[in-house]
Amino acid sequence: TSSTCVDVRMPGASLKDTAGGDFTGVDLSGADLTGARVENLARANLQGANLTRARLTHVDGADLTGAVLTDAEVRFASFAGAKMVRAKCAGVQMGVNVHDMVGNDLTEADFRGGRLWADLTLAKAVNAKFGKAWLRGSWVRTDLTGADLRAATLDGVDFTEAILKDADLTGATIKGSGVRAMLTGARME
């Protein structure tokens, strides 16, 4: 069974599986979870939810379409199958266990100024924004068509067979990155 909690306001809440229940499959679309510590939102509907400064752990299969994760901390997190279309992740801190993002949809997501250490192999990040972000991990065969990577730091990012068609890498710093990528129309001034 699933529960519905549409337009809930819980700023600063601490929601853990042990204390606050299991939120698996819950509809929290439009919820305000500013600063919340949430341990399990697997398969939850988080469309348009405000997760600003939230600390997240498990969001496997969650729908984060249009969600706001500005300055959120999602270290050691599990994002397997999470949908992040148009998610606003500016300043987000994502890393280490986020290798579960293989094949995820990050179309038009905004990670500007954030830190993203993830395995985005086969991910779709068309028109995504990574300007001024620090990026690391495997981006093998990732579709970055039209992506904004201006002034990003690409620290060991493996772009093997990635599609960077019409991507903007102006001012990007590339350190030890795999360079076998499709760069048709990419800007690298």
Side-chain angles (χ1 to χ4, degrees), residues 26-112:
V26 172
D27 183 348
L28 289 167
S29 53
D32 183 351
L33 297 168
T34 303
R37 179 185 169 102
V38 186
E39 291 194 8
N40 191 352
L41 288 172
R43 296 184 307 282
N45 177 357
L46 296 163
Q47 292 184 39
N50 183 352
L51 297 159
T52 299
R53 293 183 310 281
R55 290 175 49 189
L56 305 172
T57 307
H58 296 284
V59 288
D60 299 325
D63 187 347
L64 292 153
T65 299
V68 178
L69 288 99
T70 303
D71 297 322
E73 182 181 324
V74 286
R75 296 180 187 176
F76 308 106
S78 179
F79 271 71
K83 184 177 179 183
M84 299 182 74
V85 175
R86 293 181 307 283
K88 295 163 186 66
C89 304
V92 72
Q93 303 290 313
M94 296 178 85
V96 185
N97 254 1
V98 189
H99 62 275
D100 299 321
M101 294 178 76
V102 172
N104 285 16
D105 191 348
L106 289 92
T107 300
E108 298 180 14
D110 184 352
F111 286 91
R112 288 181 289 188

